[in-house]
Amino acid sequence: MNDITNVIGLGYIGLPTALMLAKSGIEVVGTDINKELVESLSQGKLSFAEKGLEELFARAVTNGIKFTCEYQKADIYILAVPTPFENYSKKIDPKYVISAVNAILDICKKDSILIIESTMSPGSIDKYIRPLINKRGLGQNLNIVHAPERIIPGNMIYELENNSRVIGADDPKVGEKVKKLYARFCKSEIIITDIRSAEMCKIVENTYRDVNIAFANELAKICRATNMDVYEIIRIANKHPRVNILQPGPGVGGHCISVDPWFLVGDYPDLTNLILTARKINDSMPTHVLRRIRDIMREHNIYDISKIGLYGLAYKENVDDTRESPTLQLLKRMDQHLAFGVKVYDPLVTKRIVPHQFMNFEDFLNEIEIIVIMTAHDHIKYNMELIKGKLILDTRNVCHFDGVYKL
Ligand code: SAJ
């Protein structure tokens, strides 16, 4: 295949995808509006850490991948720009997709293929994207495909190669062509369906996980009220062949699971009781953590908030991504209650993004009496001995010794 593929949006999804395609021998140009990002990628500097990404980057560079701010005249476009939700209506905000599609329409060749990997709420390609194409009279020439990404931060490279994929296309022949492109690196099943079903599948997957985590979080609250060990209950219940409860935690972060269910709530407010309740339960977890901190402070007569240290700013273990992180949600809630001065440390977050953020673990430990484990990085697992003298609130169930407070 000699086609040129232009990947638009070089973030958490677009970059690994572009690199993987280039590694597989496809001619790839990566485009992003962020000039600084393009410059640093062109100089060989990665913008985020991810297992296996450096090696993949090196292979893609050897194979000639290019980075630029310009959209290219290409045969295939892959769009991986963010799709946030509007705060009040909870509906998708498609502004980044719309502006990227308009830029593609300005230059694209006849019969090129536009693959949207960004998460779209069901029906939003019909609602927002088709009209843009039809308005230009290019309806016959630009083929839209929806191939939502499904990779998990922390294991992206493996999942790019091994997760099944879904391709939504109007024309099955175009679907087959796109399938061949992804099959250059994806070893798993690639299913072709229509565009609306592909949109819905993606949202359903993340909503399923959100609801399951909410169930675990609700169990954690019930077990706290009845003084039972939620982890033991879940461990035993999961031995049943048809039960698979996820783990409770300090909240749900990231740019996917805490966002996508809102699209369904925004579009179907009368039909989404379970999904809305799950979202509310997960969003309530930082407040639950706050109450647990208060309990511990009272029990130990600690009244100085600066003696508390939050370990972990990333939304989950072993990534440096802080988007919608439970720690940031907790800090926001503390701030609203004038609870300033809590200390924060994350070994993977090397940019200072909050006040009282430490860059050195030992300095952090020297300043605090209570450590709240918000993220289960491997780093804390290897350093258990160092925290044993502290009061510990472990919201991730990683400390397995006596005297540790849990959710
Ligand atoms: N979490 C829990 N308990 C659990 C599992 C997760 O509290 O048992 C929390 C995490 O700590 C984190 C949040 O949920 O704060 C989300 O983390 P995650 O690892 O479950 O998922 P993401 O957001 O990193 O990635 C998800 C994945 N979706 C599914 O597993 C269905 C990924 O495959 C998608 O590609 C990604 O969303 C996306 O981009 O949509």
Side-chain angles (χ1 to χ4, degrees):
M1 193 183 296
N2 296 319
D3 290 351
I4 295 184
T5 299
N6 188 193
V7 179
I8 318 286
L10 299 173
Y12 286 98
I13 300 304
L15 183 64
T17 305
L19 299 178
M20 190 58 98
L21 285 163
K23 183 194 133 185
S24 318
I26 311 269
E27 190 173 344
V28 180
V29 180
T31 297
D32 200 290
I33 50 167
N34 181 341
K35 212 169 151 232
E36 264 174 43
L37 172 67
V38 167
E39 274 169 14
S40 66
L41 288 171
S42 302
Q43 288 163 11
K45 281 184 231 144
L46 278 171
S47 40
F48 63 95
E50 173 68 35
K51 194 167 61 193
L53 195 60
E54 286 193 10
E55 295 87 317
L56 182 62
F57 192 34
R59 296 278 301 275
V61 169
T62 310
N63 282 3
I65 189 168
K66 301 213 166 39
F67 303 105
T68 170
C69 292
E70 311 294 327
Y71 286 69
Q72 304 295 300
K73 225 175 213 355
D75 306 279
I76 295 179
Y77 294 90
I78 296 185
L79 210 61
V81 295
T83 41
F85 64 88
E86 287 168 352
N87 247 343
Y88 293 104
S89 70
K90 306 296 185 200
K91 287 174 191 271
I92 192 168
D93 178 354
K95 65 177 178 230
Y96 299 114
V97 182
I98 289 177
S99 87
V101 171
N102 275 325
I104 291 169
L105 285 168
D106 285 343
I107 54 149
C108 69
K109 297 196 257 186
K110 187 171 175 290
D111 288 332
S112 45
I113 298 176
L114 165 63
I115 306 170
I116 300 177
E117 281 214 16
S118 309
T119 303
M120 301 296 280
S121 59
S124 49
I125 290 185
D126 282 349
K127 192 167 167 194
Y128 301 109
I129 308 306
R130 274 190 215 285
L132 301 177
I133 298 169
N134 294 340
K135 208 165 72 190
R136 307 258 189 143
L138 289 168
Q140 305 305 311
N141 299 338
L142 182 67
N143 300 288
I144 315 175
V145 169
H146 184 41
E149 61 80 15
R150 289 162 134 181
I151 51 177
I152 198 150
N155 203 24
M156 286 178 158
I157 314 298
Y158 174 85
E159 292 206 350
L160 265 175
E161 289 183 321
N162 293 288
N163 279 9
S164 139
R165 290 200 80 108
V166 57
I167 291 172
D170 298 329
D171 176 353
K173 277 196 228 109
V174 173
E176 285 297 337
K177 189 169 180 194
V178 172
K179 182 173 171 172
K180 269 196 194 142
L181 176 76
Y182 284 111
R184 294 285 286 261
F185 61 84
C186 173
K187 299 176 214 148
S188 190
E189 189 181 5
I190 301 177
I191 299 159
I192 299 175
T193 183
D194 62 277
I195 287 181
R196 276 168 60 94
S197 301
E199 288 173 323
M200 188 66 163
C201 286
K202 168 64 195 253
I203 304 296
V204 163
E205 290 158 14
N206 280 348
T207 303
Y208 165 78
R209 201 157 164 85
D210 199 41
V211 171
N212 193 332
I213 297 168
F215 179 59
N217 282 333
E218 189 153 280
L219 289 180
K221 289 181 180 175
I222 295 170
C223 288
R224 172 62 37 223
T226 50
N227 203 16
M228 294 179 90
D229 180 348
V230 68
Y231 302 102
E232 182 68 350
I233 309 288
I234 291 176
R235 190 178 72 81
I236 297 168
N238 280 350
K239 300 273 181 201
H240 186 289
R242 284 175 294 283
V243 175
N244 181 21
I245 307 166
L246 290 169
Q247 294 298 303
V252 169
H255 203 59
C256 314
I257 293 184
S258 61
V259 175
D260 296 357
W262 283 123
F263 295 157
L264 290 176
V265 175
D267 285 343
Y268 305 98
D270 298 336
L271 303 175
T272 44
N273 296 333
L274 173 67
I275 297 168
L276 175 62
T277 304
R279 272 285 71 243
K280 285 185 179 166
I281 292 168
N282 288 338
D283 275 353
S284 75
M285 290 314 287
T287 302
H288 179 74
V289 175
L290 198 53
R291 290 201 189 109
R292 295 291 294 134
I293 297 173
R294 183 194 59 194
D295 295 344
I296 299 165
M297 290 177 80
R298 279 204 181 128
E299 190 183 326
H300 293 273
N301 293 317
I302 298 171
Y303 299 105
D304 179 356
I305 215 141
S306 72
K307 293 289 165 202
I308 302 165
L310 304 181
Y311 175 92
L313 264 167
Y315 79 93
K316 67 174 192 178
E317 67 283 0
N318 304 327
V319 300
D320 60 1
D321 187 344
T322 59
R323 290 177 299 172
E324 326 288 333
S325 101
T327 306
L328 292 179
Q329 295 176 40
L330 175 60
L331 287 169
K332 195 169 161 196
R333 260 159 245 194
M334 288 180 128
D335 191 73
Q336 283 161 351
H337 292 89
L338 308 182
F340 311 122
V342 64
K343 310 245 171 5
V344 185
Y345 174 75
D346 189 311
L348 299 185
V349 180
T350 48
K351 256 193 216 148
R352 209 175 289 280
I353 58 167
V354 293
H356 313 291
Q357 182 182 343
F358 282 64
M359 293 298 153
N360 178 291
F361 188 43
E362 283 181 10
D363 292 348
F364 167 73
L365 290 181
N366 286 338
E367 297 278 328
I368 60 170
E369 285 180 46
I370 304 175
I371 181 166
V372 184
I373 300 175
M374 297 290 287
T375 315
H377 291 312
D378 285 347
H379 168 271
I380 195 74
K381 297 182 190 162
Y382 298 140
N383 283 294
M384 278 300 162
E385 286 306 315
L386 293 180
I387 63 170
K388 275 195 174 156
K390 306 283 174 201
L391 292 165
I392 303 170
L393 172 57
D394 174 13
T395 72
R396 297 285 188 175
N397 197 29
V398 285
C399 299
H400 303 293
F401 43 87
D402 287 345
V404 175
Y405 294 87
K406 301 273 167 143
L407 267 184

